[in-house]
Amino acid sequence: MSNKHKVMIIDDEKIVGDMAKLSLEQEGYEVEAFLNGETALARLQGSPFDVVVTDFKMKGIDGLEVLRTVKKLYPKTVVIMITAFANLDVAIEALRDDVHDFFPKPVKIKELKASIQRALEKRKDENVNA
Amino acid sequence: MPNRFQAWWQALLPRLSGRGNPEGPSDLKTMLSHFQAVLDCNNQALEVMTDMGEKLGGDYLFDVNYTQRAYDALSGHIGGSLRHFALLTGGRYPQLGEVQARLDVLVRRMLTSAGPPADRLVLFYDEITWDLAEEVGGKNYHLAELRNSLKLPTPAAFALTTAAFDLFVRHNNRLAARLQDLGSTAADIDPLLPELQELVRQGSFPEPLAVALEDAVGRMRSLQGQECRLAVRSSAEEEDGDFSFAGQFGTVLNVPCTLEAVQQAYKEVVASLFGSGSIAYQRHLGYDPGKLRMAVGCVAMIEARVSGVTFTASDGNREIMLVSAAWGLGKAVVDGFTDADLYRVRKGEAPEIIDTRVGRKEQMVVNLPGGGIETVDTPAGLRGKACLTEGEVLELARQAMLIEEHFRTPQDIEWAIDAKGRFFLLQSRSLRLEGEPAAGEGEAAGQAAPPVETGQPVLLRNQGLVVQKGTAAGPVFILRHADELDQVPQGAVLVARNDSPHFVRVIPFLAAIITDVGVPTSHMASICRELGLPTVVNAGNATALLPPGQEVTLRAGEEGEVAVHQGILPGLLRQYRQAGIKMRELYELRRQKYIMRYIAPLHLVNPLEEEFAADKCRTIHDLIRFMHEKSVQELVAKASGAGRGLTSLLRKSPLRRLQLPIPVQLLLIDIGGGVSGKGETVEVDQVLSPPLRGVLRGMTAPGVWHGGGMALRGKDLLAGITRAAELAEAGGEAGSNLAIISGEYLHLSLRFGYHFNVLDSYCSGTPRNNHIYFRFVGGAAAITSRSRRIQLMADVLAESGFILKTKGDLLIARLSNLSCPRAEEILEQVGRLIAFTRQLDAVLDSDEMVARVARDFLAGRYTIPS
C-alpha cells in the first residue's frame, strides 16, 4: 500500500479537476478527480481518502451533501470547499459542518496546497496526542 | 502693462479671426472629458486583462464561470471606451466597432464551446481573414496570412474547413458512432483505430460538401490550368500553433485536380488523424481521442526546380538564418534524406551570406506525370552544384525576415522556386529555439530535482512588481535608447529604465525583462504575460544595480518576491521548469487560454508606422492601444484648432498673460484648475498645471536662455527669408504663444523666430494615462544645419526615453506611461531644450559638434558653441 496521502477532487468542470490533479500530484499526493458527487461518493464507499476538495454548487449531490456524507463515513477526512458563488450563509453553514477550509474561485493553487498541508499536519498532531 | 497687452491683443485678433475651426473652450473641455473617459475605460479593461492573464496562467483553479464574468466586464469597459472615443473623434473610426463585434462573436463562441458556423465548408485562401483560424486550422491560417497580410507569394489554395470535417463525420453514421464510442471507452483503443481509418476511407461525401468541393476544384483548374495538381495536407486545430504536430498527419502530394481524386486524398489525410502514433500524441496534448477536428488544405503543386527550408534563427542565434535547399520537391530536405546545400545568412537591412556549403544532393524528389511523387537519382550535372544563386538566397532571407517580424517568433519556413524562377512559400510555423523545452519534453514528475543553489550573491532583492512570475537566466543588457533594441543579444535579461511596447519585437528572444519604472497593466506587461516571459517592472534602480554583461538568474516568485542572483543557477532554473511545462499541456487550460488570443496580443506597436490603422486591429489589446494613441492625437489637433480659433475661445474663458522672467509672451487659457487666483496676469507660482510647471521650470532654468539671436550667416540668412513664408503657410500661429491648460493638461504652441514647437501633455495620478507629445518644425538655416539641430534634439530626447520620428526639419517625439513627477521632470528637460536650441542651427557646423553639444547639454552645460 502506498504511503502517499490520497486526495479526491470533485468539480463539475473538468478544467478544475485536471489542474488540481496535476498540481497536487507534483506535491506527491495521490489524486483522483470526479465530475459529480454521485460517482465520487460511490468511490468513497469502503475506501477512505485523506482529503476531499469539493465544489459547492453541483447538479445532483452538491458540496454540502458530499461534506456530510464524508464526515459520517470518515470523520477524520479533511474536507475543503471551493465555490464560484461566495456567499456568507453557505460559508457559515459549511463551517458549522466542520469543513476545514473554504475558498472562493478562482482559488490560488498555492493556497489550496498550503491548506491541505496544514490540515494534514494538524490531523497528525491530533493522532499523536490522542 | 495691461493696456499695452490689450492693445497687442486687439491688434492680433483680426489676424486670427476667420481661421481654424470653431471649437470653443467648452468644446475643448468636453473633449478633454471624453479623452479622460476613454483612458479610464481603457485602464479598467487593461486591469481585467491583467487579471485574466493571471488567473488563466496556471496558478489558479478557475471555472468557465470566471472567464465568462471577466470577459463580460472587459467587454463592458471596451464598449465604454468605444463610445467616448467615437464622441471624441466624431465617429471617424467606425471600423473599431466592427472589429469589436467580430471579436465578441469569436470569444463568446469559445466560452460556450460552440463551434464555428457550419455554413463555410470551403474557403479560398484569399477569403481567409484573421478571425477564421478555428475554421481553417493552423497550417492553412498561417499560409493564408503570408498571402493576405504580407502579400508574399504563395500558391493558389483553398481550405476544407473544420465545419466540412464535422459534416463529413456526421454524414457517415457508423464513423460518427464509433467516434462517440471512442470518447467514452476507458479501454485500450488502439485495436479500434484500423476500423476507424477504414470507415474514413470508405466514407462518402455529403451533398453540400461535394458541391462546394466540386466548385472549388473547378475554380482551381480555371486559375491554374486543367492539368494542375494539388498538395492535400492536414491543418488540424492547433497545428503549427503552440504545437507543431510535425509529421503526425498525412499529406498527399501531386493529386490531380478532380473531385474524385481530391475526395480520395481528403479521406486519406483525415484517416491519418486515427493513426496510433498520432492518437498517442493527441492524448499527450490532452485531446480525448476523437475530439480533435481537422481542416485540410488543397494547395496548387509547384513544379519546383529547387525547394527547401529556412530557419530564421540558427544554433540558438537569432542573428543568423539558415537556408537549406535541394533540387526538386522539398520532401528531400524536410525528411532529411539528401545532403542539402546550406547557406548561413546574417540578418540586417542588407542581409549577407556568411558561408555556403554545397551538398552532394545525390537524390531528389520529383512529381510523377500521372500523379504521386518519386525519389530519383539527381542528374550527374546537378549533383554537387549549388542550387541557389546568391540573389535567390538573399531574397529568401528577406522574405523570411518579414515573416519572422510578422509572427514575432523565429520561424521554420518551407519554400519552392519553380523553373521560371518564381518564389513560393509553402508553410511557416514557429521554430523552437534550442534550450527551450518542446511541449512534452518536460522532466518527469518525481525525478530527483538537482540541488537548488543557495548562498549566491544577490544583486537585487525584493524591488519591483512581478508582472510574470518565473525563473530565467542570461547576461544583463542595459537598454538606454530605444534604438539599441537591435543590439540586444539572444537570451539576454533586458534591463531598461521604462517599459515600452516597442520591446515586442525582441521579447520572443529574451530571457527576462526588468525595468526601473513601469506598471503591471502596461501594454508591454500584458505581452510578457501572454508569452510567459519572466518580467519585473518598477524595480527602482535596476539599471544602476545590474552590471552590463553580468550573467544573472532572475527569480520572480508567486508571492511577488524578486531576486536577481549573480551567475546562472541551473538548479533553480530546472526546479521552475518542471512545474510549468506540464500545466501548459493541459488541454482544458489551453482551451480557456485560447480566448486570450483575441484579447491579449498586440499587433499595433508603433503609432508612427502605417500599420497603425483601425482596420489592422485584431485583438482587444489593439483596440485599446489604437484608441489611446488616436485620442492623444485628436486632443492635440483639437487643442491646436482651438488655439487658432481664439476669438470663439475667448467668449467663455478669459485669456490671461503669464509673467515670465524671460522675454516670452505667453497667453494662457485655463479650461479648469490650471492656475490659482484671478486676474489678467498670472505669476509663475500661480500655475497649478503640472505639465506647464515642468516646462516653465526648464525654459527659465539658469543658463539655458541665451539673450538675443545668433547672427545668421550668409546662406542661412537667405534660406531664412524664403523659409518664413513657407512656415507661415504650414500653420504658424502668427506669433501667438499660447498654452491651453487644466489641472492635468497642457497644450502649448510656441514660436521663436522660425521655430515652431507644439507640446501636448497629460499628467494625472495614473501613469498609464499620461503622455508627452512634442513636435518641432522649422528653422531659418540651410537644411543641413536644420537637420543637425533636429539630430541634437533627438539625441537629447532619446535620453529621456522618447520614441522619435524625424524627417528633414520635422521632429515628432512621444512618450507615454509615466508617473506625473517623472513627466514633470522630463518636461523640464524639454523646456530647457526648447529654450536652448532656439537659434542653434546656425552654429552647428559638423556632426561632431552635434554630438559634443548634446553631451554637454545632458551634463548640464548650456554653452552655445561659437
Side-chain angles (χ1 to χ4, degrees), chain B residues 336-388:
Chain B
F337 64 73
T338 202
D339 179 29
D341 293 351
L342 297 178
Y343 304 86
R344 292 200 312 145
V345 183
R346 187 185 310 282
K347 289 185 199 168
E349 295 236 332
E352 72 183 292
I353 300 175
I354 310 170
D355 54 43
T356 300
R357 182 189 149 283
V358 178
R360 293 187 304 280
K361 305 181 289 293
E362 281 150 347
Q363 293 192 305
M364 63 189 280
V365 179
V366 294
N367 290 323
L368 282 175
I373 53 165
E374 192 182 28
T375 304
V376 297
D377 287 341
T378 306
L382 292 178
R383 288 184 206 183
K385 189 176 169 229
C387 57
L388 292 175

Side-chain angles (χ1 to χ4, degrees), chain A residues 13-16 18-20 22-23 26 84-85 105-110 112, chain B residues 55 58-66 558-559 579 582-583 586 588-589 592:
Chain A
E13 283 198 40
K14 193 165 179 306
I15 187 168
V16 177
D18 281 359
M19 290 181 72
L22 183 60
S23 6
Q26 275 165 355
F85 306 91
K105 278 192 269 189
V107 47
K108 199 163 196 174
I109 293 172
K110 200 170 172 177
L112 179 65
Chain B
K55 299 291 170 10
D59 293 330
Y60 285 81
L61 297 180
F62 65 93
D63 52 22
V64 178
N65 195 3
Y66 162 77
E558 266 178 50
E559 303 304 326
K582 288 259 161 197
M583 196 57 98
L586 266 189
E588 295 292 334
L589 180 58
Q592 289 295 311

